[in-house]
Amino acid sequence: MTMELVLAHLYPQHMNLYGDRGNVLALQYRSQKRGINFRVVDVEMGQDVDWQKVDIVFMGGGEDSHQAMIYEDFLGRKNSLAEALFRGLPMLAVCGAYQLLGHEYMMANGQNLEGIGFLDITTKPGEKRAIGDVVCDSLLGLEPKTLVGFENHGGQTFLGEKTRPLARVLLGKGNNGEDGTEGAVQAHTIGTYLHGSLLPKNPQLTDLLISWAVSRRAGDDVVLPPLDASWELAAHDVILKRVKI
Ligand code: GLN
């Protein structure tokens, strides 16, 4: 029987910066190449989701004004989504989405947006926007170890005790420009400041998310069949070479 994965793309109209949709395409591409049917369901404000039928969640970044538009709708999903994430539903949340997975995000204008509190993180406005290429060493045991991307955020995120960082920053600011951390991981949820898009240039992370989703669907640990990633890694290396570490 052919396996099908369903990805819920949350708020693609409002939360989609710097090619974030490329993450969805990368997950779809590397799944389909392995013979997995991959269906994308766009979820806008007011649309119900049955999380039981979802295998991966993606939500991209957004300007403060767009985060303010969707955050109440997102909060309305707090119980059902946090429960599903707690049970291991894989999610990738980039920048503005990452911030709203935490306890709260204070925007540049001082207004506080309450998050769903799944990640033990809090975000406040920084003095200067963090903008530019990012290279970091992931702490997920991936090969290659480096993740590359692009950040553009005003918020500074600080991790609490229940959440571990995704990576250690080699270039760029990451979570807050102070403690050297980038992103956060809890269960199978990854929050990160890396746009770029992230997954097309980091196939090892794409495959990790797919393997989490496939294993969850199969009810067993599944090792994905190897798949050429030479183009993706060539793009990865372009960013690595652009920076002097
Ligand atoms: N508006 C948020 C910030 O500036 C998130 C930006 C983004 O998603 N790139 O911190």
Side-chain angles (χ1 to χ4, degrees):
M1 202 180 79
T2 316
M3 178 174 278
E4 180 179 78
L5 293 180
V6 175
L7 178 142
H9 188 175
L10 288 179
Y11 314 115
Q13 282 182 29
H14 293 88
M15 302 294 284
N16 180 25
L17 284 177
Y18 320 119
D20 279 340
R21 190 184 285 275
N23 294 307
V24 174
L25 298 179
L27 287 164
Q28 187 164 41
Y29 178 79
R30 293 188 67 77
S31 296
Q32 286 176 343
K33 280 275 173 192
R34 293 183 169 103
I36 301 167
N37 280 341
F38 195 95
R39 205 152 54 83
V40 179
V41 179
D42 285 354
V43 180
E44 298 293 354
M45 285 189 271
Q47 274 175 247
D48 276 346
V49 183
D50 179 353
W51 297 111
Q52 304 266 23
K53 297 194 174 134
V54 171
D55 301 291
I56 308 184
V57 188
F58 175 72
M59 183 167 155
E63 291 147 17
D64 284 10
S65 57
H66 284 178
Q67 289 171 278
M69 281 179 210
I70 59 95
Y71 92 98
E72 278 179 348
D73 186 275
F74 190 51
L75 260 187
R77 304 177 191 276
K78 177 172 175 160
N79 291 342
S80 59
L81 179 58
E83 158 94 15
L85 297 179
F86 183 73
R87 289 173 180 274
L89 175 65
M91 175 165 184
L92 176 65
V94 175
C95 202
Y98 168 41
Q99 295 168 340
L100 293 179
L101 275 186
H103 302 298
E104 60 181 30
Y105 168 46
M106 186 191 277
M107 297 190 293
N109 68 4
Q111 192 194 333
N112 239 333
L113 303 184
E114 187 183 341
I116 70 165
F118 175 71
L119 291 178
D120 186 15
I121 61 167
T122 307
T123 306
K124 63 178 179 79
E127 279 176 16
K128 232 177 122 201
R129 281 192 85 74
I131 305 175
D133 290 323
V134 180
V135 178
C136 48
D137 270 343
S138 90
L139 301 170
L140 294 169
L142 296 173
E143 177 54 43
K145 197 174 179 189
T146 42
L147 295 172
V148 301
F150 167 80
E151 64 183 339
N152 185 350
H153 53 105
Q156 271 189 313
T157 297
F158 294 90
L159 272 55
E161 279 171 9
K162 289 194 212 123
T163 296
R164 61 197 164 100
L166 167 68
R168 295 259 156 226
V169 174
L170 301 173
L171 177 99
K173 296 277 188 275
N175 280 331
N176 49 55
E178 291 175 13
D179 63 15
T181 64
E182 157 48 32
V185 184
Q186 214 162 301
H188 288 161
T189 295
I190 294 177
T192 177
Y193 272 114
L194 303 192
H195 296 275
S197 317
L198 173 67
L199 295 185
K201 298 193 194 82
N202 297 282
Q204 74 283 40
L205 191 60
T206 315
D207 286 355
L208 179 69
L209 286 160
I210 296 171
S211 74
W212 281 345
V214 168
S215 298
R216 192 166 159 271
R217 183 58 65 207
D220 201 1
D221 278 353
V222 175
V223 179
L224 294 181
L227 181 66
D228 179 70
S230 44
W231 285 98
E232 292 92 330
L233 292 173
H236 183 106
D237 288 350
V238 167
I239 307 292
L240 274 189
K241 283 193 192 112
R242 199 180 284 172
V243 299
K244 292 186 188 71
I245 298 172

